[in-house]
Amino acid sequence: MSTAALPTPADLRITPRDRRFARDSLHERLWHGGSVEATAIYNALSTTFPKGEAFFVESVRRFRDGAPPKLTEEIKGFTTQEAIHSREHDAFNRRAVDAGYDLSKLEARVEQRLAVAGARPPIVNVAATMALEHFTAIIAHELLANPKHLEGADKDAAELWRWHACEEIEHKGVAYDTWLHATAHWSRWMRWKVKAKVMLYVTRNFLVDRTHGSLELMRQDGVTGLTAWVRLLSYLWVRPAMFRKIAGAWLKFFLPGFHPWNEDDRHLLRAYDNSAKDLPQPKRKVRRAA
Ligand SMILES: [Fe+2]
Ligand SMILES: [Fe+2]
């Protein structure tokens, strides 16, 4: 596949929305509707973002040389969006710490994974980024498409998650297109083999790490043992079942001809932007990444 025939919509513009969320107000410790397991999984996810998204940016930027002008522009938008996400999740995580959670074990696990990744070739890192960005995009789609996931959550916290989800959808093709650009000289079979292997590897780590991270946070709320497992797994797989709901979209990654924009879900972006137009807008123009 040549990079000239990418299915990323020709009129897509990646526009960073430089928002700040609830800097002055503390949210409740169990900000997600008073639910230990719901708060735990979102807090566990948030703990990965500041360093994880910096890693995504670094991995993609290594392959920007020689990219077509549209992809170069999109990489800039992606970099700026991820940098702002890191900033806001860093603030969100600090509020979790202020509410009494100890995130150190979760952070140590992220650092350990990133240290392993850092020892791998750059092409493997861009492949891991492409796989994790698909993961993020399908979670984001489900989060915006199905209001049940944030039902009962603190208003400001829910705003943060919706905003992040919107931008993840908007830039969902960037890592994938960068991967296609970086492997333009590879055979289709070789590409598929590497991307499938990497997706299976990152999925395993994602499920294991987020489950352990959530159980650790639930332990800090006094929920342990079998009860904790049952409550967490029901939340993730039975109701509202984020992981079960994204399973089909996850599988599509392995189909020949897959591209994140085979599913054009920009209606979710438009709906988000409409719903967020009354939020305070950034005072200054966003400085885009170089
Ligand atoms: Fe992000
Ligand atoms: Fe992203």
Side-chain angles (χ1 to χ4, degrees):
M1 186 183 196
S2 100
T3 47
L6 294 170
T8 296
D11 58 344
L12 178 77
R13 294 286 169 273
I14 297 175
T15 318
R17 299 157 183 80
D18 189 3
R19 300 207 164 113
R20 286 169 191 264
F21 297 88
R23 283 291 202 281
D24 312 320
S25 62
L26 268 180
H27 58 57
E28 297 281 318
R29 177 175 167 112
L30 295 177
W31 61 266
H32 203 318
S35 160
V36 169
E37 56 274 23
T39 303
I41 182 65
Y42 284 90
N43 281 353
L45 274 172
S46 183
T47 308
T48 69
F49 289 137
K51 291 215 163 124
E53 298 204 317
F55 164 81
F56 293 171
V57 164
E58 201 44 49
S59 304
V60 162
R61 281 164 63 101
R62 284 222 190 105
F63 289 96
R64 65 187 163 161
D65 288 352
K70 181 165 186 291
L71 179 56
T72 303
E73 220 16 66
E74 286 170 0
I75 291 174
K76 285 183 192 167
F78 160 79
T79 300
T80 309
Q81 286 189 336
E82 296 294 36
I84 302 172
H85 300 169
S86 288
R87 181 193 76 199
E88 288 310 300
H89 279 276
D90 201 37
F92 183 83
N93 297 344
R94 267 184 276 132
R95 289 200 295 279
V97 170
D98 291 343
Y101 288 112
D102 175 4
L103 303 179
S104 57
K105 280 193 185 150
L106 285 76
E107 286 166 346
R109 176 52 73 100
V110 173
E111 274 165 30
Q112 191 192 348
R113 293 283 184 210
L114 291 176
V116 171
R120 299 253 163 89
I123 193 71
V124 175
N125 286 338
V126 83
T129 300
M130 168 266 287
L132 282 164
E133 280 283 286
H134 177 56
F135 228 114
T136 316
I138 59 182
I139 290 177
H141 176 105
E142 177 59 26
L143 199 76
L144 288 184
N146 183 353
K148 283 227 170 323
H149 295 292
L150 290 170
E151 214 168 67
D154 171 90
K155 196 175 150 295
D156 291 326
E159 285 301 342
L160 163 76
W161 286 93
R162 273 196 281 270
W163 160 81
H164 193 171
C166 162
E167 295 200 336
E168 287 303 320
I169 291 174
E170 193 169 58
H171 72 229
K172 68 178 177 172
V174 175
Y176 203 86
D177 290 347
T178 307
W179 151 260
L180 292 178
H181 165 65
T183 58
H185 54 294
W186 289 22
S187 67
R188 284 170 68 102
W189 165 240
M190 182 68 177
R191 261 183 185 162
W192 187 85
K193 202 170 71 168
V194 172
K195 83 171 207 179
K197 262 174 126 168
V198 168
M199 183 49 124
L200 291 173
Y201 177 77
V202 301
T203 299
R204 180 211 162 265
N205 290 348
F206 179 89
L207 293 178
V208 169
D209 291 356
R210 295 307 79 75
T211 302
H212 281 149
S214 304
L215 289 170
E216 165 60 17
L217 296 177
M218 291 173 76
R219 186 191 64 73
Q220 296 178 22
D221 280 316
V223 181
T224 57
L226 188 61
T227 311
W229 277 96
V230 170
R231 282 171 62 171
L232 180 64
L233 294 181
S234 330
Y235 186 76
L236 293 174
W237 295 94
V238 183
R239 197 168 35 205
M242 171 61 82
F243 284 4
R244 179 164 54 80
K245 300 256 173 69
I246 62 170
W250 179 85
L251 273 172
K252 284 187 184 160
F253 183 83
F254 298 93
L255 295 176
F258 167 82
H259 186 280
W261 281 111
N262 288 353
E263 163 139 27
D264 188 344
D265 47 2
R266 283 179 291 170
H267 62 284
L268 295 173
L269 304 187
R270 288 189 287 272
Y272 168 78
D273 282 330
N274 256 335
S275 73
K277 64 180 184 310
D278 297 331
L279 293 178
Q281 300 300 315
K283 290 191 185 64
R284 57 197 156 71
K285 199 173 172 336
V286 178
R287 199 166 65 85
R288 286 166 78 88

